[in-house]
């Protein structure tokens, strides 16, 4: 009886130990693999916080097939999102520099700070701007009074969700046709249509040619909605006789197939 009890006890200890060690090993290997993948990223985006706004931002980046990494401290939220989306996560507090280092912030193209409190978003923006002075930063604000603080901290764009939501609801009532057009252009009204920005720099098939010479619509089905010139001015209804320059950024709209065809024909 003593021998049997000792054997069962040792077997139980061995099984529990194996389970714990293997679980820890799996977690360690998973974190190691993620860190290796993140280290290889370049011109990627970082999403700090996977709340409602962060989740929508991630969904949009997935739709656009953009490389990104999510920084989130809550493991339950990470597991819930990973159950439906297999994307890179860094588990940690985005207000800490070492966590942003793990997200390869020095090679990042942009950062979205969407944590729940304005104080955290200000701190992340300040830290991220110091670590990477060249990337774009978009921050969420709960209060209008925080907008100026976030801009001083280094955010190019500050989004106040309740302001956007309220204005949109009013415009849907007063200018429904205009809102339908905006939804169409943004891809919300018609999920098959997307708006994309094309940088003309070093694109020899575009520079020096006019829209009339390029025949973009007839060749690809893509519509040129407008352009932004090197001075930062946005031109809508771009004249067919205006030659494109290396400082231009074209705004084009079409389906994924049409945009892919445009890139195949006009982008090197």
């Amino acid at each position: 009886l003593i021998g049997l009890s000792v054997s069962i006890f040792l077997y139980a200890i061995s099984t529990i130990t194996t389970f714990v060690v293997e679980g820890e090993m799996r977690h360690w290997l998973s974190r190691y693999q993620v860190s290796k993948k993140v280290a290889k990223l370049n011109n990627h985006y970082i999403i700090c916080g996977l709340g409602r706004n962060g989740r929508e931002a991630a969904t949009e980046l997935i739709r656009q097939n953009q490389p990104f990494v999510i920084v989130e401290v809550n493991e339950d939220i990470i597991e819930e999102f990973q159950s439906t989306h297999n994307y890179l996560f860094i588990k940690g507090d985005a207000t800490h520099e070492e966590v942003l280092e793990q997200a390869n912030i020095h090679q990042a193209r942009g950062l979205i700070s969407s944590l729940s409190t304005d104080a955290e978003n200000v701190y992340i923006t300040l830290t991220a701007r110091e670590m990477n002075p060249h990337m774009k930063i978009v921050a969420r604000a709960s209060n209008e009074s925080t907008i100026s603080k976030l801009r001083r901290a280094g955010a190019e764009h500050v989004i106040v969700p309740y302001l956007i939501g309220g204005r949109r609801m009013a415009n849907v009532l007063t200018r429904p046709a205009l809102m339908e057009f905006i939804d169409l252009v943004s891809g919300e009204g018609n999920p098959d249509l997307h708006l994309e920005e094309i940088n003309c720099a070093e694109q020899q098939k575009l520079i020096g040619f006019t829209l009339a010479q390029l025949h973009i619509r007839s060749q690809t089905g893509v519509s040129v909605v407008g352009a932004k010139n090197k001075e930062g001015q946005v031109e809508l209804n771009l004249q067919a006789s205006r030659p494109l320059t290396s400082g231009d950024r074209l705004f084009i709209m079409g389906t994924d197939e049409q945009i892919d065809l445009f890139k195949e024909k006009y982008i090197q």
Side-chain angles (χ1 to χ4, degrees), residues 1 9-10 17 38 43 63 65 69 71 79-80 85 93 107 110-111 174 198 214 267-268:
L1 182 61
F9 176 76
L10 291 176
T17 303
V38 172
N43 281 335
R63 188 188 67 80
N65 198 27
V69 58
V71 179
E79 291 178 357
E80 180 190 351
H85 303 84
D93 189 344
Q107 301 298 325
L111 179 141
T174 59
I198 302 295
L214 291 170
I267 304 300
Q268 295 177 348

PDB file of all heavy atoms in Angstrom, residues 1 9-10 17 38 43 63 65 69 71 79-80 85 93 107 110-111 174 198 214 267-268:
ATOM      1  N   LEU A   1       0.823  -1.215   0.000  1.00  0.00           N
ATOM      2  CA  LEU A   1       0.000   0.000   0.000  1.00  0.00           C
ATOM      3  C   LEU A   1       0.855   1.263   0.000  1.00  0.00           C
ATOM      4  O   LEU A   1       0.588   2.220  -0.719  1.00  0.00           O
ATOM      5  CB  LEU A   1      -0.925  -0.014   1.227  1.00  0.00           C
ATOM      6  CG  LEU A   1      -1.888   1.180   1.347  1.00  0.00           C
ATOM      7  CD1 LEU A   1      -2.822   1.234   0.151  1.00  0.00           C
ATOM      8  CD2 LEU A   1      -2.690   1.073   2.650  1.00  0.00           C
ATOM      9  N   PHE A   9       1.856   9.146  -6.088  1.00  0.00           N
ATOM     10  CA  PHE A   9       2.280  10.509  -5.752  1.00  0.00           C
ATOM     11  C   PHE A   9       3.378  10.985  -6.697  1.00  0.00           C
ATOM     12  O   PHE A   9       3.325  12.101  -7.238  1.00  0.00           O
ATOM     13  CB  PHE A   9       2.770  10.553  -4.295  1.00  0.00           C
ATOM     14  CG  PHE A   9       3.313  11.895  -3.888  1.00  0.00           C
ATOM     15  CD1 PHE A   9       2.463  12.964  -3.618  1.00  0.00           C
ATOM     16  CD2 PHE A   9       4.684  12.082  -3.784  1.00  0.00           C
ATOM     17  CE1 PHE A   9       2.970  14.193  -3.247  1.00  0.00           C
ATOM     18  CE2 PHE A   9       5.205  13.311  -3.414  1.00  0.00           C
ATOM     19  CZ  PHE A   9       4.344  14.368  -3.148  1.00  0.00           C
ATOM     20  N   LEU A  10       4.391  10.140  -6.915  1.00  0.00           N
ATOM     21  CA  LEU A  10       5.488  10.505  -7.808  1.00  0.00           C
ATOM     22  C   LEU A  10       4.996  10.703  -9.239  1.00  0.00           C
ATOM     23  O   LEU A  10       5.435  11.603  -9.956  1.00  0.00           O
ATOM     24  CB  LEU A  10       6.580   9.434  -7.766  1.00  0.00           C
ATOM     25  CG  LEU A  10       7.362   9.328  -6.446  1.00  0.00           C
ATOM     26  CD1 LEU A  10       8.356   8.167  -6.508  1.00  0.00           C
ATOM     27  CD2 LEU A  10       8.106  10.641  -6.169  1.00  0.00           C
ATOM     28  N   THR A  17       4.555  18.484 -13.184  1.00  0.00           N
ATOM     29  CA  THR A  17       5.801  19.169 -13.531  1.00  0.00           C
ATOM     30  C   THR A  17       5.976  19.241 -15.045  1.00  0.00           C
ATOM     31  O   THR A  17       6.340  20.285 -15.600  1.00  0.00           O
ATOM     32  CB  THR A  17       7.008  18.449 -12.896  1.00  0.00           C
ATOM     33  OG1 THR A  17       6.818  18.378 -11.481  1.00  0.00           O
ATOM     34  CG2 THR A  17       8.297  19.188 -13.206  1.00  0.00           C
ATOM     35  N   VAL A  38       9.043  40.175 -35.323  1.00  0.00           N
ATOM     36  CA  VAL A  38       8.924  41.629 -35.153  1.00  0.00           C
ATOM     37  C   VAL A  38      10.242  42.314 -35.492  1.00  0.00           C
ATOM     38  O   VAL A  38      10.263  43.396 -36.089  1.00  0.00           O
ATOM     39  CB  VAL A  38       8.493  41.970 -33.716  1.00  0.00           C
ATOM     40  CG1 VAL A  38       8.551  43.477 -33.475  1.00  0.00           C
ATOM     41  CG2 VAL A  38       7.081  41.458 -33.447  1.00  0.00           C
ATOM     42  N   ASN A  43       9.028  49.493 -41.738  1.00  0.00           N
ATOM     43  CA  ASN A  43       7.907  50.323 -42.208  1.00  0.00           C
ATOM     44  C   ASN A  43       6.565  49.729 -41.788  1.00  0.00           C
ATOM     45  O   ASN A  43       5.603  49.739 -42.552  1.00  0.00           O
ATOM     46  CB  ASN A  43       7.939  50.497 -43.732  1.00  0.00           C
ATOM     47  CG  ASN A  43       8.956  51.539 -44.158  1.00  0.00           C
ATOM     48  OD1 ASN A  43       9.299  52.428 -43.391  1.00  0.00           O
ATOM     49  ND2 ASN A  43       9.441  51.422 -45.369  1.00  0.00           N
ATOM     50  N   ARG A  63      -7.426  44.595 -43.405  1.00  0.00           N
ATOM     51  CA  ARG A  63      -8.103  44.731 -44.697  1.00  0.00           C
ATOM     52  C   ARG A  63      -7.170  45.309 -45.750  1.00  0.00           C
ATOM     53  O   ARG A  63      -7.200  44.916 -46.921  1.00  0.00           O
ATOM     54  CB  ARG A  63      -9.343  45.620 -44.562  1.00  0.00           C
ATOM     55  CG  ARG A  63     -10.212  45.673 -45.806  1.00  0.00           C
ATOM     56  CD  ARG A  63     -11.310  46.706 -45.688  1.00  0.00           C
ATOM     57  NE  ARG A  63     -10.787  48.049 -45.658  1.00  0.00           N
ATOM     58  CZ  ARG A  63     -10.401  48.736 -46.746  1.00  0.00           C
ATOM     59  NH1 ARG A  63     -10.447  48.168 -47.931  1.00  0.00           N
ATOM     60  NH2 ARG A  63      -9.944  49.954 -46.632  1.00  0.00           N
ATOM     61  N   ASN A  65      -4.000  44.925 -45.754  1.00  0.00           N
ATOM     62  CA  ASN A  65      -2.829  44.049 -45.862  1.00  0.00           C
ATOM     63  C   ASN A  65      -1.546  44.786 -45.466  1.00  0.00           C
ATOM     64  O   ASN A  65      -0.509  44.653 -46.119  1.00  0.00           O
ATOM     65  CB  ASN A  65      -2.707  43.490 -47.283  1.00  0.00           C
ATOM     66  CG  ASN A  65      -1.797  42.270 -47.345  1.00  0.00           C
ATOM     67  OD1 ASN A  65      -1.655  41.550 -46.352  1.00  0.00           O
ATOM     68  ND2 ASN A  65      -1.171  42.057 -48.479  1.00  0.00           N
ATOM     69  N   VAL A  69       2.078  45.401 -35.578  1.00  0.00           N
ATOM     70  CA  VAL A  69       2.218  44.632 -34.346  1.00  0.00           C
ATOM     71  C   VAL A  69       1.381  45.322 -33.281  1.00  0.00           C
ATOM     72  O   VAL A  69       1.302  46.548 -33.230  1.00  0.00           O
ATOM     73  CB  VAL A  69       3.705  44.522 -33.922  1.00  0.00           C
ATOM     74  CG1 VAL A  69       4.327  45.890 -33.718  1.00  0.00           C
ATOM     75  CG2 VAL A  69       3.844  43.698 -32.656  1.00  0.00           C
ATOM     76  N   VAL A  71       0.498  46.001 -29.262  1.00  0.00           N
ATOM     77  CA  VAL A  71       1.029  45.990 -27.895  1.00  0.00           C
ATOM     78  C   VAL A  71      -0.158  46.056 -26.937  1.00  0.00           C
ATOM     79  O   VAL A  71      -0.923  47.028 -26.959  1.00  0.00           O
ATOM     80  CB  VAL A  71       1.982  47.175 -27.644  1.00  0.00           C
ATOM     81  CG1 VAL A  71       2.489  47.139 -26.208  1.00  0.00           C
ATOM     82  CG2 VAL A  71       3.142  47.150 -28.626  1.00  0.00           C
ATOM     83  N   GLU A  79      -5.654  36.772 -26.228  1.00  0.00           N
ATOM     84  CA  GLU A  79      -6.125  35.429 -26.591  1.00  0.00           C
ATOM     85  C   GLU A  79      -7.439  35.488 -27.352  1.00  0.00           C
ATOM     86  O   GLU A  79      -7.654  34.735 -28.303  1.00  0.00           O
ATOM     87  CB  GLU A  79      -6.274  34.578 -25.327  1.00  0.00           C
ATOM     88  CG  GLU A  79      -4.942  34.222 -24.680  1.00  0.00           C
ATOM     89  CD  GLU A  79      -5.121  33.411 -23.407  1.00  0.00           C
ATOM     90  OE1 GLU A  79      -6.288  33.186 -23.017  1.00  0.00           O
ATOM     91  OE2 GLU A  79      -4.103  33.011 -22.815  1.00  0.00           O
ATOM     92  N   GLU A  80      -8.334  36.411 -26.959  1.00  0.00           N
ATOM     93  CA  GLU A  80      -9.612  36.545 -27.645  1.00  0.00           C
ATOM     94  C   GLU A  80      -9.405  36.991 -29.094  1.00  0.00           C
ATOM     95  O   GLU A  80     -10.028  36.453 -30.014  1.00  0.00           O
ATOM     96  CB  GLU A  80     -10.488  37.563 -26.916  1.00  0.00           C
ATOM     97  CG  GLU A  80     -11.854  37.771 -27.568  1.00  0.00           C
ATOM     98  CD  GLU A  80     -12.601  38.945 -26.974  1.00  0.00           C
ATOM     99  OE1 GLU A  80     -12.149  39.494 -25.942  1.00  0.00           O
ATOM    100  OE2 GLU A  80     -13.629  39.328 -27.550  1.00  0.00           O
ATOM    101  N   HIS A  85      -7.801  36.055 -35.292  1.00  0.00           N
ATOM    102  CA  HIS A  85      -6.809  36.733 -36.124  1.00  0.00           C
ATOM    103  C   HIS A  85      -5.412  36.296 -35.687  1.00  0.00           C
ATOM    104  O   HIS A  85      -5.080  36.396 -34.498  1.00  0.00           O
ATOM    105  CB  HIS A  85      -6.911  38.252 -35.996  1.00  0.00           C
ATOM    106  CG  HIS A  85      -8.271  38.799 -36.346  1.00  0.00           C
ATOM    107  ND1 HIS A  85      -9.302  38.831 -35.439  1.00  0.00           N
ATOM    108  CD2 HIS A  85      -8.748  39.316 -37.502  1.00  0.00           C
ATOM    109  CE1 HIS A  85     -10.369  39.358 -36.018  1.00  0.00           C
ATOM    110  NE2 HIS A  85     -10.064  39.653 -37.261  1.00  0.00           N
ATOM    111  N   ASP A  93       3.235  46.665 -21.244  1.00  0.00           N
ATOM    112  CA  ASP A  93       2.725  48.019 -21.058  1.00  0.00           C
ATOM    113  C   ASP A  93       3.391  48.948 -22.068  1.00  0.00           C
ATOM    114  O   ASP A  93       4.613  49.139 -22.030  1.00  0.00           O
ATOM    115  CB  ASP A  93       3.013  48.481 -19.625  1.00  0.00           C
ATOM    116  CG  ASP A  93       2.325  49.789 -19.288  1.00  0.00           C
ATOM    117  OD1 ASP A  93       1.881  50.497 -20.222  1.00  0.00           O
ATOM    118  OD2 ASP A  93       2.228  50.108 -18.089  1.00  0.00           O
ATOM    119  N   GLN A 107      12.114  51.157 -36.437  1.00  0.00           N
ATOM    120  CA  GLN A 107      11.873  50.877 -37.848  1.00  0.00           C
ATOM    121  C   GLN A 107      10.411  51.080 -38.241  1.00  0.00           C
ATOM    122  O   GLN A 107      10.049  50.842 -39.388  1.00  0.00           O
ATOM    123  CB  GLN A 107      12.273  49.423 -38.164  1.00  0.00           C
ATOM    124  CG  GLN A 107      13.718  49.091 -37.863  1.00  0.00           C
ATOM    125  CD  GLN A 107      14.681  49.930 -38.688  1.00  0.00           C
ATOM    126  OE1 GLN A 107      14.413  50.251 -39.836  1.00  0.00           O
ATOM    127  NE2 GLN A 107      15.810  50.297 -38.081  1.00  0.00           N
ATOM    128  N   GLY A 110       4.531  54.078 -38.392  1.00  0.00           N
ATOM    129  CA  GLY A 110       3.533  54.855 -37.679  1.00  0.00           C
ATOM    130  C   GLY A 110       3.088  54.148 -36.422  1.00  0.00           C
ATOM    131  O   GLY A 110       3.335  52.943 -36.231  1.00  0.00           O
ATOM    132  N   LEU A 111       2.437  54.901 -35.536  1.00  0.00           N
ATOM    133  CA  LEU A 111       1.969  54.348 -34.261  1.00  0.00           C
ATOM    134  C   LEU A 111       0.578  54.885 -33.956  1.00  0.00           C
ATOM    135  O   LEU A 111       0.290  56.070 -34.182  1.00  0.00           O
ATOM    136  CB  LEU A 111       2.942  54.711 -33.137  1.00  0.00           C
ATOM    137  CG  LEU A 111       2.596  54.225 -31.718  1.00  0.00           C
ATOM    138  CD1 LEU A 111       3.867  53.781 -30.982  1.00  0.00           C
ATOM    139  CD2 LEU A 111       1.899  55.317 -30.908  1.00  0.00           C
ATOM    140  N   THR A 174     -28.953  65.548 -41.867  1.00  0.00           N
ATOM    141  CA  THR A 174     -29.073  66.792 -42.627  1.00  0.00           C
ATOM    142  C   THR A 174     -28.527  66.689 -44.045  1.00  0.00           C
ATOM    143  O   THR A 174     -28.999  67.385 -44.943  1.00  0.00           O
ATOM    144  CB  THR A 174     -28.343  67.929 -41.887  1.00  0.00           C
ATOM    145  OG1 THR A 174     -26.947  67.574 -41.726  1.00  0.00           O
ATOM    146  CG2 THR A 174     -28.963  68.163 -40.519  1.00  0.00           C
ATOM    147  N   ILE A 198      -1.341  56.791 -53.862  1.00  0.00           N
ATOM    148  CA  ILE A 198      -0.203  56.345 -54.669  1.00  0.00           C
ATOM    149  C   ILE A 198       0.848  57.452 -54.708  1.00  0.00           C
ATOM    150  O   ILE A 198       0.569  58.579 -55.136  1.00  0.00           O
ATOM    151  CB  ILE A 198      -0.633  55.997 -56.114  1.00  0.00           C
ATOM    152  CG1 ILE A 198      -1.702  54.899 -56.106  1.00  0.00           C
ATOM    153  CG2 ILE A 198       0.579  55.574 -56.945  1.00  0.00           C
ATOM    154  CD1 ILE A 198      -1.242  53.566 -55.580  1.00  0.00           C
ATOM    155  N   LEU A 214      -2.376  58.950 -69.941  1.00  0.00           N
ATOM    156  CA  LEU A 214      -2.233  57.678 -69.235  1.00  0.00           C
ATOM    157  C   LEU A 214      -3.417  56.730 -69.450  1.00  0.00           C
ATOM    158  O   LEU A 214      -3.248  55.509 -69.361  1.00  0.00           O
ATOM    159  CB  LEU A 214      -2.060  57.939 -67.731  1.00  0.00           C
ATOM    160  CG  LEU A 214      -0.736  58.594 -67.324  1.00  0.00           C
ATOM    161  CD1 LEU A 214      -0.778  59.034 -65.873  1.00  0.00           C
ATOM    162  CD2 LEU A 214       0.436  57.641 -67.552  1.00  0.00           C
ATOM    163  N   ILE A 267       2.998  51.076 -61.762  1.00  0.00           N
ATOM    164  CA  ILE A 267       3.956  51.151 -60.656  1.00  0.00           C
ATOM    165  C   ILE A 267       5.090  50.174 -60.895  1.00  0.00           C
ATOM    166  O   ILE A 267       4.874  48.998 -61.189  1.00  0.00           O
ATOM    167  CB  ILE A 267       3.274  50.835 -59.309  1.00  0.00           C
ATOM    168  CG1 ILE A 267       2.094  51.763 -59.073  1.00  0.00           C
ATOM    169  CG2 ILE A 267       4.270  50.958 -58.164  1.00  0.00           C
ATOM    170  CD1 ILE A 267       2.428  53.218 -59.019  1.00  0.00           C
ATOM    171  N   GLN A 268       6.299  50.677 -60.749  1.00  0.00           N
ATOM    172  CA  GLN A 268       7.456  49.819 -61.022  1.00  0.00           C
ATOM    173  C   GLN A 268       7.693  48.846 -59.865  1.00  0.00           C
ATOM    174  O   GLN A 268       7.411  49.141 -58.734  1.00  0.00           O
ATOM    175  CB  GLN A 268       8.698  50.711 -61.190  1.00  0.00           C
ATOM    176  CG  GLN A 268       8.606  51.608 -62.411  1.00  0.00           C
ATOM    177  CD  GLN A 268       9.798  52.539 -62.525  1.00  0.00           C
ATOM    178  OE1 GLN A 268      10.572  52.672 -61.591  1.00  0.00           O
ATOM    179  NE2 GLN A 268       9.958  53.164 -63.673  1.00  0.00           N
TER     180      GLN A 268
END
